């Protein structure tokens, strides 16, 4: 596969993943679809906005850059233009890789610690000392009185962020290598009008 076609495929895969991360982080801000607890009772991992900033915006940039690197855009014609777009994609992919790693680490921590919830008349991170074992014991999930279903809400959305950020790390890494090859070797696509 040519570096241009590979870049386009990676970019078109990164864009929906980044949008999934943005939506998942937005949903984490409204546990159980209600804004009642948003002001004082959300976990730190939700407020760090790893899905919005890290897995979202920081990966959306390399996704768009990779699509442009795979096309025949207006950033110069011929070999030099393609190499310029690939070089920009190298830098954007490195930023996206950092963003996806940030999203993975914060989301993984959010899963391990668990949500802040009301249990036994106190708001706290009640699952923090379980080292993530609460994930396998669904009967403990109902011990959180408020917000209702917050454990299921957090586990589902943080798991989605972990899975999406793992794919983003893989794709940004592939694009980093692909774009580096594109800068050094150029694109293998034939120019229009050339004989086949």
């Amino acid at each position: 596969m040519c570096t241009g076609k590979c870049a386009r495929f990676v970019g078109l895969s990164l864009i929906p993943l980044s949008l999934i991360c943005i939506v998942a982080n937005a949903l984490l801000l409204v546990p159980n679809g209600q804004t009642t607890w948003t002001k004082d009772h959300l976990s730190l991992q939700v407020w760090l906005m790893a899905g919005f900033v890290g897995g979202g915006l920081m990966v959306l940039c390399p996704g768009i850059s990779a699509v442009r690197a795979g096309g025949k855009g207006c950033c110069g014609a011929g070999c030099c233009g393609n190499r310029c777009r690939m070089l920009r994609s190298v830098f954007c992919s490195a930023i996206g890789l950092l963003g996806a790693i940030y999203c993975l680490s914060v989301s993984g921590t959010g899963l391990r610690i668990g949500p802040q919830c009301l249990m036994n008349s106190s708001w706290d991170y009640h699952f923090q000392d379980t080292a993530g074992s609460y994930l396998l014991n669904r009967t403990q999930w109902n011990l959180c009185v408020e917000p209702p279903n917050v454990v299921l809400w957090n586990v589902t959305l943080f798991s989605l962020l972990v899975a999406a950020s793992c794919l983003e790390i893989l794709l940004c890494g592939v694009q980093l290598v692909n774009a580096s090859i594109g800068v050094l070797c150029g694109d293998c696509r034939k120019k229009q009008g050339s004989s086949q």
Side-chain angles (χ1 to χ4, degrees):
M1 181 185 292
C2 291
T3 56
K5 288 181 181 178
C6 180
R8 191 162 180 78
F9 172 78
V10 169
L12 291 174
S13 301
L14 283 173
I15 292 171
L17 283 171
S18 66
L19 296 176
I20 286 170
C21 287
I22 290 171
V23 169
N25 202 136
L27 289 173
L28 280 168
L29 292 170
V30 287
N32 206 31
Q34 301 171 349
T35 59
T36 310
W37 301 276
T38 301
K39 186 176 180 193
D40 299 323
H41 302 298
L42 291 179
S43 67
L44 173 65
Q45 289 73 30
V46 173
W47 285 116
L48 289 175
M49 300 285 186
F52 184 76
V53 176
L57 296 178
M58 288 179 75
V59 173
L60 187 61
C61 174
I64 293 170
S65 176
V67 169
R68 289 182 50 86
K72 299 180 191 312
C74 59
C75 179
C79 179
C80 184
N82 286 340
R83 288 179 189 217
C84 288
R85 287 190 297 272
M86 285 293 182
L87 182 61
R88 185 178 58 232
S89 185
V90 168
F91 294 123
C92 287
S93 295
I95 291 169
L97 192 61
L98 292 175
I101 290 170
Y102 171 66
C103 183
L104 177 63
S105 61
V106 171
S107 301
T109 303
L111 271 177
R112 191 184 67 69
I113 290 175
Q116 183 180 18
C117 66
L118 178 66
M119 183 188 300
N120 301 326
S121 301
S122 72
W123 285 91
D124 201 4
Y125 296 96
H126 297 286
F127 302 113
Q128 186 170 4
D129 297 330
T130 65
S133 66
Y134 79 96
L135 294 168
L136 303 174
N137 187 356
R138 292 188 73 147
T139 56
Q140 287 183 333
W141 295 11
N142 296 326
L143 298 175
C144 278
V145 179
E146 288 184 0
N149 302 317
V150 70
V151 179
L152 176 63
W153 191 262
N154 274 24
V155 167
T156 302
L157 293 172
F158 275 130
S159 296
L160 182 63
L161 284 172
V162 165
S165 60
C166 284
L167 287 172
E168 288 173 343
I169 288 170
L170 177 70
L171 290 170
C172 282
V174 166
Q175 181 55 20
L176 192 60
V177 171
N178 178 57
S180 298
I181 292 170
V183 168
L184 297 174
C185 303
D187 195 1
C188 63
R189 291 179 294 185
K190 294 184 180 185
K191 294 183 179 173
Q192 289 213 340
S194 64
S195 60
Q196 295 182 7

